[in-house]
Amino acid sequence: MATNITWHPSLSRRERNGFRKQRGMTIWFTGLSASGKSTIATALEQHLLHLGLAAYRLDGDNVRFGLNKDLGFSEKDRNENIRRIAEVAKLFADSSTIALTSFISPYRADRQTARELHAEPAKDPKIDDEPLPFIEVFVDIPVEVAEQRDPKGLYKKAREGIIKEFTGISAPYEAPEKPEIHIRSDKTSVEDAVKQIVAYLEEKDLLKL
């Protein structure tokens, strides 16, 4: 834990949302490899941008080229991977951007920590800030279907023992128990998945101030 540091307050979330004319939030996609998380998140990002909303996708593979390139795939490193992403997503959401995170994030405890982080009160008690919305999207697919897709050949390598601790094969995936949105990606098109998410956001009045 760092010491001798002081939080420097900025605008409140309400003020920043008002200036940017949109609400920041995190939409957290979770599911097995090859479930379609990144494909749906990319399509949603494009849709939101076309609506004139600021949105940015944080992808599980992409962040390992930079921010998390020092992490492997042990349970400890996976936990740290998600901890860092949760913090970065919160910063995006706090800036009144819609953060879209596409990560396997296999452990319920890590996803709950990310949710709780977004619900934390403002560090400056004089700022009356709203909690940041956190929407968990479970992109659900049977492991055998994901394995049939296997666009990166990862399941094959896991079966051959080349990749160790691979989620769904040699490492667990703890499915969400109460996600805000549940998408069966083997039965739902990308277009319909985006419509399902947007309908939820509109129902909760999250796309307007």
Side-chain angles (χ1 to χ4, degrees):
M1 178 67 70
T3 58
N4 300 316
I5 59 175
T6 303
W7 181 263
H8 290 271
S10 182
L11 296 175
S12 72
R13 287 173 193 155
R14 286 198 187 113
E15 290 174 309
R16 187 177 285 107
N17 289 347
F19 285 128
R20 300 198 67 188
K21 303 187 186 315
Q22 75 171 72
R23 181 174 299 172
M25 71 191 79
T26 291
I27 303 175
W28 190 282
F29 291 83
T30 177
L32 293 172
S33 178
S35 64
K37 299 182 302 299
S38 293
T39 302
I40 296 170
T42 298
L44 177 61
E45 179 187 30
Q46 293 171 350
H47 179 80
L48 294 172
L49 291 171
H50 287 154
L51 293 178
L53 298 168
Y56 191 81
R57 181 176 58 91
L58 297 163
D59 183 78
D61 280 354
N62 292 357
V63 298
R64 284 182 177 271
F65 281 96
L67 176 66
N68 291 348
K69 65 182 179 181
D70 59 320
L71 299 177
F73 291 91
S74 67
E75 181 174 348
K76 180 180 178 181
D77 281 0
R78 284 174 181 268
N79 294 342
E80 175 60 14
N81 182 52
I82 297 306
R83 186 196 70 79
R84 293 183 192 179
I85 292 308
E87 292 282 0
V88 171
K90 181 182 178 181
L91 291 174
F92 272 90
D94 193 46
S95 75
S96 300
T97 298
I98 300 174
L100 311 173
T101 69
S102 175
F103 293 80
I104 295 173
S105 47
Y107 303 113
R108 291 192 191 105
D110 290 340
R111 299 193 301 267
Q112 181 61 26
T113 296
R115 181 183 293 275
E116 292 171 356
L117 180 66
H118 284 68
E120 286 181 354
K123 288 184 170 62
D124 183 348
K126 290 177 284 191
I127 295 180
D128 181 22
D129 269 341
E130 304 168 326
L132 292 165
F134 182 92
I135 299 100
E136 186 176 47
V137 180
F138 177 27
V139 184
D140 187 5
I141 192 172
V143 65
E144 58 270 18
V145 178
E147 192 166 356
Q148 288 169 8
R149 291 180 175 181
D150 201 13
K152 303 174 187 176
L154 300 180
Y155 285 94
K156 183 174 185 294
K157 290 180 180 178
R159 292 291 187 191
E160 294 171 349
I162 297 171
I163 299 178
K164 309 296 182 183
E165 299 185 88
F166 186 77
T167 302
I169 302 298
S170 51
Y173 178 76
E174 298 172 358
E177 296 176 327
K178 294 181 179 180
E180 279 74 15
I181 301 170
H182 186 168
I183 295 170
R184 278 296 301 265
S185 61
D186 59 327
K187 299 180 178 181
T188 306
S189 69
V190 173
E191 181 181 12
D192 286 342
V194 170
K195 289 179 180 177
Q196 184 178 341
I197 298 167
V198 171
Y200 175 89
L201 298 176
E202 291 177 342
E203 178 189 347
K204 300 298 181 181
D205 287 330
L206 292 174
L207 294 182
K208 61 183 180 181
L209 292 180

